Amino acid sequence: MNGFLKKPALITILIFTATFFLYVFSKYSTLAFTPINKINSGIKQTERGSIVDRNGKPLAVQTNFYHIGVTPHRIRNLEKFANDVSEALGMKPEEIKSIITQADKASFVYLKKKVDQASYAELKKIADEKNYMFVTFDKIPGRVYPENSLASQVIGYMGEEGKGLAGIEYSMQNQLQPDQSASPLKTTRGKDVYLTLDANLQYKLEEIARDTMKTTQAESMMLLVSDVKSGELLSYISLPSVNLNEYSSAQISETIDRPAMTAYEPGSVFKIFTVASMYDAGLIHAGDSFLCDGVYEHRIRGGETIRIKCLERHGWLTPREALKYSCNDVLAQIASRTTDENFMEMVRRLGFGQRTGIELPSETAGLVKDTNSRSWSARSKPTIAMGQEISVSALQMIQAASALANGGIPVKPAIVKRITNKNGTIEYEHSPEYKERIFKESTAEYLLSCMETTATSGTGARARLHDISIGVKTGTAQMADKTNGGYSTTDFLSNCISIFPIEDPQIILYIVVIKAKGETYAGRIVAPVIAKAADVIIDHLGMSRGDAASLEHNGKIVISSSKPVKLDSKVPDFTGCSMRELLPLFNRSDIKIKINGSGWVKNQSPEPGTPITENMLIELNLE
């Protein structure tokens, strides 16, 4: 002003300043009157759907875990920090100090991964109170399996990346956690998968199976229960099994889905399918007699004689009696009444050599020989007729048996009952998938009566039930010697299949015990388990028994309408709530739910009326 700035320069500065303020004012005005848009982080999250049993009992539910990490160089007092967080982390202070010390030059290190919600809440509180700004909490989606090892191979497992790695978690990945990349919603929820399994029945039968494993000292076993009419599997057991909440530390043998993945020679159980096929084709009749002299002999064109031994000399036997005594000689003679090609066509029509198509991954097709293959020999047909030189799966056996139980028409096995969306709307409901008729109805009736004879006075007598009709067939097969070739003299597979009640089949029960020690004869070690398991199934399903008491009822049943469980600011009274009504609680991320038992809520902790706090644990006891 005193002449330091010339007039033209001053005017230029004033014009520039005015222009700048005008620009700022216009931008401010534009932003001030523009509607606020929600900030999109760009990260979309899909809450994984639940896996539940046929009655809605939770078997796999969504939760959150946390990876706990620190920045080592920002820790001022390592001793104090380690002592403060050790209890919440479930680690020793020395262990924490060791991890941090060894990673001193690293910019970041994890102290512990997959910390649960309760531990996270405690650690977060400590970090806030102590001003431990160097502690980080990485939230990751996780899975809780309330029933631990129950039906573990069916349910499967979800890995840390949120992808199913086995079982239904894998095969139903696109349903449980569909791709939402095109969805405008930031957070969406997957669909719930209802299994055909009855968790309460599964629990009871798993107890029987574990006891069988213990008494027989078997290496492994399988137990399947199928509804005859629908093909739905009510129980699906493969032992040993794994606690799904500790899957990372499981042994390989605990993770194998044996009914779907394991192919084996079934032995004499297969004889029911041989007799059924030959009877249906009119190649044998109920009154035919065959002489068992202890060995089946057949001379082939080259002059070689094939010999297949029987357990004893049974004398003259009808087809019914051949099944009753499980006679190898007579079964070989029966099979000789047709050509190799026709016999193998019968076998394939039963579904052997192909997958059943059940909703489980890695299902085996088994192994059925071709008559033109190099492995086919003159011994093959009579040997396959009695359940050797053929590999099957337990699911194939169940499916083939359904043809006998359903009047000649097999039904496809199923493990998924229904699929619902987040609103509970049913998007898929299982309906029986019947296949082409294999046997005449008269053939099925004849075979069921033969199986009943086997249960009352034959090799399966120990499976007999005294107040309900049951048909069985046992089988004991030598297993392959993988070291020396041929068949092992010490390793056996013992199995038994049953159908009941005979006059109106409702259930197929199949049990396989692998490599039992000591007694291996299926009629002695598996047939009694069939009887024990069948008793449990009959009582659990409320099937009519011969000695059951009769009660009169007016026919009216009053069922109180259920109300949705709501959580506001205080803990409600859960008394009387069913498992199904409690299912939505598992979708909450702000509280933790623990359920003990099954049925309806008997008592709870904390008491009704208690203020709800973040990460509160609510424990419900059901009866």
Side-chain angles (χ1 to χ4, degrees):
M1 297 302 169
N2 58 6
F4 178 76
L5 292 175
K6 301 297 181 180
K7 188 174 181 180
L10 181 61
I11 294 173
T12 301
I13 292 173
L14 290 175
I15 293 173
F16 176 79
T17 303
T19 303
F20 174 75
F21 277 107
L22 184 63
Y23 173 78
V24 171
F25 180 77
S26 65
K27 283 292 183 182
Y28 175 80
S29 300
T30 302
L31 291 172
F33 292 100
T34 300
I36 298 175
N37 294 322
K38 292 184 179 180
I39 298 175
N40 190 347
S41 65
I43 301 175
K44 294 184 178 182
Q45 296 181 351
T46 302
E47 183 181 341
R48 196 174 181 86
S50 298
I51 299 175
V52 300
D53 84 333
R54 66 189 298 114
N55 300 310
K57 185 170 187 175
L59 300 175
V61 294
Q62 177 80 2
T63 188
N64 291 314
F65 290 111
Y66 297 84
H67 291 343
I68 313 299
V70 296
T71 306
H73 70 269
R74 295 183 61 188
I75 301 175
R76 298 287 176 263
N77 191 331
L78 180 57
E79 184 78 27
K80 184 176 184 303
F81 171 70
N83 289 329
D84 286 343
V85 301
S86 60
E87 186 175 349
L89 280 171
M91 301 168 66
K92 294 180 180 179
E94 292 75 18
E95 188 179 356
I96 296 172
K97 288 188 288 184
S98 176
I99 293 173
I100 295 173
T101 301
Q102 292 177 18
D104 184 48
K105 294 182 180 180
S107 60
F108 180 81
V109 65
Y110 280 118
L111 293 180
K112 192 171 185 179
K113 292 186 175 182
K114 292 196 71 175
V115 170
D116 62 26
Q117 189 78 29
S119 298
Y120 157 75
E122 188 176 351
L123 286 163
K124 186 72 169 60
K125 182 179 179 182
I126 294 171
D128 292 343
E129 290 177 351
K130 304 288 184 180
N131 200 30
Y132 289 151
M133 303 299 292
F134 50 81
V135 180
T136 62
F137 304 91
D138 294 341
K139 182 179 177 181
I140 61 169
R143 210 69 160 151
V144 170
Y145 301 95
E147 299 299 327
N148 298 317
S149 63
L150 191 82
S152 62
Q153 291 93 346
V154 173
I155 298 167
Y157 180 71
M158 187 193 79
E160 290 187 8
E161 296 182 357
K163 300 289 185 181
L165 300 179
I168 290 296
E169 292 276 34
Y170 176 82
S171 63
M172 293 285 119
Q173 169 70 24
N174 292 336
Q175 299 293 332
L176 292 166
Q177 194 168 348
D179 181 13
Q180 298 293 333
S181 58
S183 173
L185 301 176
K186 181 179 177 182
T187 302
T188 56
R189 189 180 187 281
K191 299 169 185 176
D192 294 330
V193 175
Y194 285 72
L195 302 182
T196 59
L197 301 181
D198 183 322
N200 292 330
L201 178 61
Q202 176 84 9
Y203 176 79
K204 294 173 184 178
L205 295 179
E206 279 195 10
E207 283 190 321
I208 293 175
R210 293 184 195 282
D211 183 61
T212 302
M213 285 274 287
K214 183 178 179 180
T215 55
T216 62
Q217 299 180 59
E219 180 182 281
S220 59
M221 76 170 290
M222 300 175 254
L223 188 155
L224 298 177
V225 179
S226 174
D227 182 285
V228 165
K229 308 301 180 186
S230 67
E232 294 177 357
L233 290 158
L234 306 180
S235 182
Y236 189 111
I237 298 173
S238 175
L239 296 181
S241 58
V242 58
N243 182 341
L244 292 174
N245 294 304
E246 301 172 0
Y247 195 89
S248 59
S249 60
Q251 297 180 9
I252 293 178
S253 63
E254 296 174 328
T255 65
I256 299 173
D257 178 4
R258 293 171 184 82
M261 299 170 63
T262 302
Y264 57 90
E265 296 184 357
S268 295
V269 172
F270 199 81
K271 292 173 180 175
I272 58 174
F273 305 124
T274 299
V275 172
S277 297
M278 300 295 288
Y279 183 90
D280 195 76
L283 298 172
I284 60 171
H285 303 88
D288 291 349
S289 290
F290 301 85
L291 176 62
C292 168
D293 58 5
V295 60
Y296 169 76
E297 293 185 346
H298 174 63
R299 185 180 297 276
I300 60 178
R301 290 182 179 179
E304 180 186 354
T305 300
I306 297 170
R307 291 182 175 84
I308 298 176
K309 291 184 179 180
C310 196
L311 292 176
E312 55 184 281
R313 294 172 179 266
H314 293 110
W316 289 96
L317 299 177
T318 62
R320 178 189 298 273
E321 292 168 332
L323 291 176
K324 173 181 175 179
Y325 298 115
S326 199
C327 178
N328 292 342
D329 187 352
V330 171
L331 260 294
Q333 293 180 55
I334 288 174
S336 69
R337 291 196 172 185
T338 189
T339 64
D340 295 350
E341 290 74 17
N342 286 343
F343 181 77
M344 295 312 297
E345 178 60 27
M346 295 175 186
V347 169
R348 289 190 176 87
R349 284 185 63 204
L350 283 159
F352 296 109
Q354 55 189 300
R355 298 176 180 87
T356 66
I358 195 171
E359 308 94 330
L360 287 169
S362 304
E363 184 186 4
T364 180
L367 180 62
V368 175
K369 287 185 176 182
D370 192 289
T371 55
N372 295 320
S373 69
R374 296 181 62 182
S375 61
W376 186 269
S377 70
R379 292 180 60 91
S380 295
K381 183 175 63 176
T383 306
I384 292 172
M386 58 189 72
Q388 292 194 302
E389 283 196 47
I390 182 172
S391 293
V392 305
S393 72
L395 290 172
Q396 289 173 341
M397 293 291 284
I398 285 284
Q399 180 176 264
S402 71
L404 300 178
N406 272 317
I409 304 174
V411 60
K412 176 183 173 181
I415 199 69
V416 174
K417 176 72 174 174
R418 70 176 67 92
I419 298 174
T420 62
N421 63 22
K422 64 179 182 179
N423 300 318
T425 303
I426 297 175
E427 296 194 355
Y428 165 80
E429 183 82 33
H430 172 257
S431 59
E433 186 176 330
Y434 295 105
K435 302 197 172 185
E436 291 184 4
R437 175 177 290 278
I438 295 176
F439 304 127
K440 303 181 186 73
E441 189 171 349
S442 58
T443 299
E445 290 176 356
Y446 172 68
L447 260 295
L448 287 177
S449 70
C450 290
M451 292 175 69
E452 184 176 21
T453 299
T454 304
T456 55
S457 57
T459 57
R462 297 190 182 192
R464 181 182 180 185
L465 302 173
H466 296 285
D467 56 355
I468 193 168
S469 58
I470 184 171
V472 303
K473 183 67 190 81
T474 61
T476 307
Q478 286 179 285
M479 300 186 70
D481 187 336
K482 296 181 180 179
T483 303
N484 304 311
Y487 287 101
S488 171
T489 57
T490 57
D491 297 338
F492 293 86
L493 183 142
S494 310
N495 60 142
C496 182
I497 199 161
S498 63
I499 300 173
F500 57 90
I502 291 298
E503 60 275 6
D504 181 23
Q506 297 179 41
I507 295 294
I508 299 172
L509 169 61
Y510 183 46
I511 299 178
V512 184
V513 176
I514 302 171
K515 292 186 181 180
K517 292 181 175 61
E519 179 61 69
T520 59
Y521 185 55
R524 296 192 181 98
I525 67 170
V526 186
V529 183
I530 287 283
K532 188 182 298 185
D535 265 329
V536 169
I537 295 166
I538 292 165
D539 289 340
H540 182 85
L541 299 180
M543 295 168 64
S544 177
R545 308 192 73 135
D547 57 357
S550 297
L551 298 174
E552 290 187 0
H553 195 276
N554 61 12
K556 294 183 179 180
I557 301 176
V558 179
I559 301 177
S560 57
S561 59
S562 61
K563 298 179 179 180
V565 177
K566 293 184 178 181
L567 290 182
D568 296 319
S569 60
K570 295 183 180 180
V571 176
D573 186 355
F574 291 101
T575 305
C577 289
S578 67
M579 179 70 78
R580 184 187 297 272
E581 293 170 298
L582 299 174
L583 191 58
L585 297 179
F586 286 94
N587 298 326
R588 300 280 295 254
S589 59
D590 55 335
I591 58 172
K592 188 175 182 181
I593 301 294
K594 182 179 180 182
I595 294 179
N596 303 315
S598 60
W600 291 265
V601 177
K602 188 71 174 178
N603 52 65
Q604 67 184 75
S605 175
E607 295 295 323
T610 304
I612 293 178
T613 58
E614 187 176 1
N615 301 316
M616 170 185 277
L617 172 64
I618 300 177
E619 187 169 359
L620 305 174
N621 298 310
L622 280 62
E623 291 184 4

